[in-house]
């Protein structure tokens, strides 16, 4: 009895070898993963125009190294395999974890109909016993299952083309993850080939589940990963943030998938930014829904030879986002936090976001950015003290490695570029760490300094009572000035403490410590009674705010640095 593990090495029983156990590991040749019961499947698929690697997939060969053998060698080995009249051996296949072993199960199967013309069942194909026919038809041009994916696009010339694209994009990366997008009709052709193989195995009393077939993407990555890794000089890593992707397309996609839209119209709905309704997911959904007999009525089985090879429509690179955090001070009363655009018209020439991000974008060579912060101030409000925490997501950066000294230099560049803002504690952070900036945001406190005017003349003793008020509860209806972008609601907010500073009979400064999210301007003037109580009602006077400064944002993030 031979024990065959379908992977790059096999364990064989050799008496008296292996320290008494008799089990030793030996390298597998390219065809040693095929068994005698695979012979009719190999011959059948060769007859119908299937490439050697797809034949291995349908024979459930899980050895990664076998797929990496040169295409011509695989074809020769398959021919030799068919020619050899080796003795049939009983073989048992076992599942293994990495790489997966695709399992063929021996089951009682129902007798299927005899091969008939294309009228709802399988077409007549050349006899699987006619080995001369298999030899003649095996030199196919384009595989009728993978449409050339496991042929031309596994060759060194294509790998070099991908790597040239990667190198010319000038990314920094220490590993890569490879992704591939395949034409949707490959799922249709694979279904047809599976039905063909399933029927042939039924004649042998065997059953082949569709999930047992090695997936085309999986086999392709087995072949491509080592070549890309060697050419790029870095390892393939499924968790890498640097992605190399190839998008394959085929001119006959719509033509070959059209019957599915007729049989399962609810699976195909027009979508924005999609040139065709025949997306991969829509086709897979339709294939799961369509009955086997209906499929066979509309699509040839075995699948016919394609007129064209697949084309590599796009070769793209993308680096995972990099996150930079810090705190900013804003010294201008004429600078919005983010671009101020109303009805498509820009109101002010710059913003805090732009003054910071333009330098980060240039340094990291990113495509775009997303700015976020712990709250925001109005265009006429300054942010003083230790500043407001902010974070910027830099999308698809070419450069990702910066030393602490380089980040310090970048911070200085930003600060030298404008007298309207300053940044501090500039540092690289993780995506997860940004969540700390938003955690319990409304439970945090902020301190403000407001310059207030009153219509009635006041003395110092008239405002002294404000200092004694603690934990003052407010009901704030959404302010009129932000009602166009905020939902109408009544929000409960707390003024923790107040300290007044008398200036003259119509002016005083009020220092407040409040719950985050409190509308300070509205607390001063009342917003036509929408905020209760307010400074005006407390003083029994009309009050308005002339200047407002944020003195501190009490969020302990990001960590302070030695600037």
């Amino acid at each position: 009895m031979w024990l065959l593990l379908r992977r790059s090495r096999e364990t064989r029983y050799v008496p008296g070898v292996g320290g008494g156990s008799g089990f030793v590991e030996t390298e597998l040749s390219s065809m040693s993963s095929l068994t005698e019961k695979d012979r009719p499947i190999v011959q059948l698929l060769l007859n119908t125009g299937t490439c050697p690697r797809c034949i291995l997939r349908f024979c459930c060969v899980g050895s990664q190294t076998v797929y990496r053998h040169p295409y011509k060698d695989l074809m020769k080995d398959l021919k030799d395999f068919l020619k050899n009249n080796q003795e049939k051996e009983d073989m048992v296949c076992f599942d293994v974890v990495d790489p997966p072993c695709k399992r063929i199960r021996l089951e009682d199967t129902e007798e299927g109909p005899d091969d008939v013309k294309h009228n709802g069942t399988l077409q007549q194909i050349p006899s699987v016993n006619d080995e001369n026919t298999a030899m003649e038809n095996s030199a196919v041009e384009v595989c009728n299952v993978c449409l050339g994916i496991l042929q031309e696009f596994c060759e060194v010339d294509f790998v070099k083309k991908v790597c040239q694209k990667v190198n010319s994009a000038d990314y920094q990366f220490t590993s890569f993850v490879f992704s591939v997008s395949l034409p949707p009709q490959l799922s249709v052709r694979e279904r047809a080939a599976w039905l063909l193989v399933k029927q042939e195995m039924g004649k042998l009393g065997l059953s082949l589940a569709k999930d047992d077939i090695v997936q085309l993407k999986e086999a392709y990555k087995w072949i491509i990963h080592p070549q890309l890794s060697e050419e790029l000089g870095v390892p393939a890593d499924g968790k890498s943030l640097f992605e190399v992707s190839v998008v394959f397309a085929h001119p006959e996609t719509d033509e070959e998938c059209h019957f599915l839209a007729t049989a399962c119209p609810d699976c195909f709905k027009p979508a924005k930014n999609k040139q065709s309704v025949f997306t991969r997911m829509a086709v897979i959904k339709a294939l799961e829904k369509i009955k086997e007999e209906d499929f066979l009525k509309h699509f040839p089985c075995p699948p016919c030879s394609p007129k064209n090879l697949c084309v590599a429509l796009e070769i793209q690179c993308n680096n995972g986002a990099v996150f930079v955090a810090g705190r900013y001070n804003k010294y201008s009363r004429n600078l919005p936090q983010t671009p101020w655009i109303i009805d498509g018209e820009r109101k002010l020439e710059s913003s805090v976001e732009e003054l910071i991000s333009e330098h980060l974008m240039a340094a990291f060579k990113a495509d775009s950015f997303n700015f976020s912060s712990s709250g925001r101030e109005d265009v006429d409000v300054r942010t003083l003290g230790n500043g407001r925490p902010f974070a910027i997501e830099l999308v698809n950066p070419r450069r990702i490695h910066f030393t602490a000294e380089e980040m310090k230099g970048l911070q200085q560049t930003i600060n030298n570029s404008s007298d309207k803002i300053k940044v501090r504690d500039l540092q690289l952070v993780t995506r997860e760490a940004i969540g700390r900036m938003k955690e319990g945001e409304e439970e945090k406190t902020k301190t403000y300094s407001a310059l207030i005017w009153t219509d009635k003349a006041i003395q110092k003793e008239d405002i002294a009572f404000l200092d004694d008020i603690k934990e003052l509860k407010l009901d704030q209806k959404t302010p009129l000035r932000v009602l166009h972008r905020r939902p109408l609601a009544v929000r409960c907010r707390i003024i923790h403490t107040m300290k007044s500073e008398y200036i003259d009979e119509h002016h005083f400064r009020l220092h407040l410590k409040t719950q985050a999210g409190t509308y300070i301007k509205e607390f001063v003037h009342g917003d036509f009674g929408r905020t209760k109580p307010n400074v005006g009602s407390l003083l029994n006077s009309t009050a308005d705010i002339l200047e407002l400064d944020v003195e501190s944002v009490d969020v302990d993030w990001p960590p302070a640095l030695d600037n």
Side-chain angles (χ1 to χ4, degrees), residues 418-454:
S418 173
D419 60 0
K420 295 181 178 181
I421 65 158
K422 286 286 186 291
V423 297
R424 65 177 68 202
D425 301 329
L426 197 69
Q427 57 195 278
L428 292 167
V429 296
T430 64
R431 181 189 295 271
E432 293 72 25
I434 291 178
R436 296 182 57 186
M437 182 174 69
K438 298 292 185 180
E439 279 177 9
E441 198 171 61
E442 292 194 355
E443 282 68 46
K444 300 295 183 181
T445 60
K446 297 182 181 181
T447 58
Y448 299 88
S449 172
L451 178 60
I452 299 172
W453 168 87
T454 62

Side-chain angles (χ1 to χ4, degrees), residues 84-363:
N84 290 337
N85 289 319
Q86 60 188 28
E87 291 184 8
K88 293 183 178 180
E89 300 172 332
D90 291 328
M91 290 185 156
V92 182
C93 294
F94 297 94
D95 283 337
V96 293
V97 175
D98 183 24
C101 173
K102 305 298 182 177
R103 182 177 62 224
I104 299 176
R105 295 189 295 270
L106 182 61
E107 295 178 353
D108 293 326
T109 57
E110 296 182 3
E111 291 186 6
D114 294 333
D115 293 339
V116 296
K117 298 282 186 180
H118 180 56
N119 61 353
T121 56
L122 301 177
Q123 292 184 25
Q124 182 68 36
I125 59 174
S127 169
V128 295
N129 293 320
D130 186 354
E131 294 189 4
N132 291 329
T133 304
M135 296 303 103
E136 293 171 3
N137 294 347
S138 60
V140 294
E141 289 187 1
V142 180
C143 176
N144 67 337
V145 178
C146 72
L147 301 179
I149 298 293
L150 296 182
Q151 295 171 297
E152 183 168 323
F153 296 104
C154 293
E155 299 301 319
V156 65
D157 287 347
F158 180 69
V159 173
K160 288 189 180 226
K161 181 180 178 182
V162 173
C163 293
Q164 285 170 1
K165 175 75 173 179
V166 174
N167 291 329
S168 66
D170 197 27
Y171 281 89
Q172 281 185 343
F173 57 96
T174 55
S175 61
F176 71 93
V177 60
F178 180 69
S179 67
V180 58
S181 175
L182 301 175
Q185 82 259 44
L186 288 184
S187 297
V188 180
R189 286 179 167 268
E190 184 135 326
R191 171 66 62 89
W194 169 61
L195 293 174
L196 178 72
V197 173
K198 186 173 76 164
Q199 188 210 42
E200 187 60 32
M201 294 189 70
K203 295 176 182 178
L204 302 175
L206 297 171
S207 174
L208 175 65
K210 193 172 186 306
D211 290 342
D212 287 337
I213 302 167
V214 175
Q215 294 300 304
L216 197 158
K217 276 188 180 182
E218 187 175 24
Y220 187 61
K221 290 180 181 181
W222 288 349
I223 302 163
I224 288 292
H225 272 172
Q227 296 184 70
L228 286 176
S229 183
E230 182 176 357
E231 193 73 21
L232 294 174
V234 295
D237 181 358
K239 295 181 179 179
S240 175
L241 294 179
F242 180 64
E243 179 185 30
V244 179
S245 63
V246 179
V247 178
F248 289 106
H250 196 272
E252 297 159 37
T253 294
D254 286 12
E255 178 186 338
E256 295 189 8
C257 295
H258 191 267
F259 77 97
L260 288 173
T262 304
C264 308
D266 57 321
C267 294
F268 301 94
K269 297 177 182 177
K272 292 181 180 179
N273 304 321
K274 296 289 184 182
Q275 293 181 346
S276 171
V277 296
F278 298 110
T279 62
R280 186 180 69 89
M281 292 308 298
V283 168
I284 290 174
K285 185 177 178 181
L287 288 173
E288 291 173 349
K289 191 171 183 180
I290 193 170
K291 294 180 180 178
E292 189 171 303
E293 54 268 27
D294 291 335
F295 178 90
L296 292 170
K297 285 178 183 177
H298 296 96
F299 197 84
C301 184
C304 59
S305 295
K307 303 171 189 174
N308 301 286
L309 181 73
C310 277
V311 293
L313 196 63
E314 295 177 352
I315 301 173
Q316 299 177 328
C317 303
N318 188 79
N319 236 342
V322 170
F323 298 87
V324 176
R327 303 178 82 100
Y328 73 80
N329 291 109
K330 171 166 129 25
Y331 302 119
S332 170
R333 295 197 186 276
N334 196 34
L335 183 70
Q337 187 194 64
T338 55
W340 193 7
I341 300 172
I342 299 177
D343 296 330
E345 182 181 348
R346 188 174 187 121
K347 297 300 181 181
L348 292 170
E349 65 179 18
S350 191
S351 64
V352 173
E353 171 187 292
E354 292 166 297
L355 290 174
I356 297 173
S357 65
E358 63 177 323
H359 300 284
L360 295 178
M361 286 278 290

Side-chain angles (χ1 to χ4, degrees), residues 327-331 333 376-377 381-389 424 445-451 497-499 501 509-514 520 547-555:
R327 303 178 82 100
Y328 73 80
N329 291 109
K330 171 166 129 25
Y331 302 119
R333 295 197 186 276
R376 60 186 298 136
E377 65 284 313
V381 175
R382 298 187 302 178
T383 298
L384 308 175
N386 63 353
R388 184 185 298 276
R424 65 177 68 202
T445 60
K446 297 182 181 181
T447 58
Y448 299 88
S449 172
L451 178 60
T497 62
M498 290 184 283
K499 182 172 178 57
E501 183 182 326
R509 189 170 294 279
L510 188 63
H511 300 276
L512 310 97
K513 184 173 185 179
T514 75
I520 304 301
E547 291 179 356
L548 179 64
D549 293 329
V550 180
E551 294 192 331
S552 74
V553 179
D554 301 326
V555 176

Side-chain angles (χ1 to χ4, degrees), residues 382-396:
R382 298 187 302 178
T383 298
L384 308 175
N386 63 353
R388 184 185 298 276
F390 73 90
I392 293 182
E393 176 187 13
L394 294 154
V395 179
N396 194 22

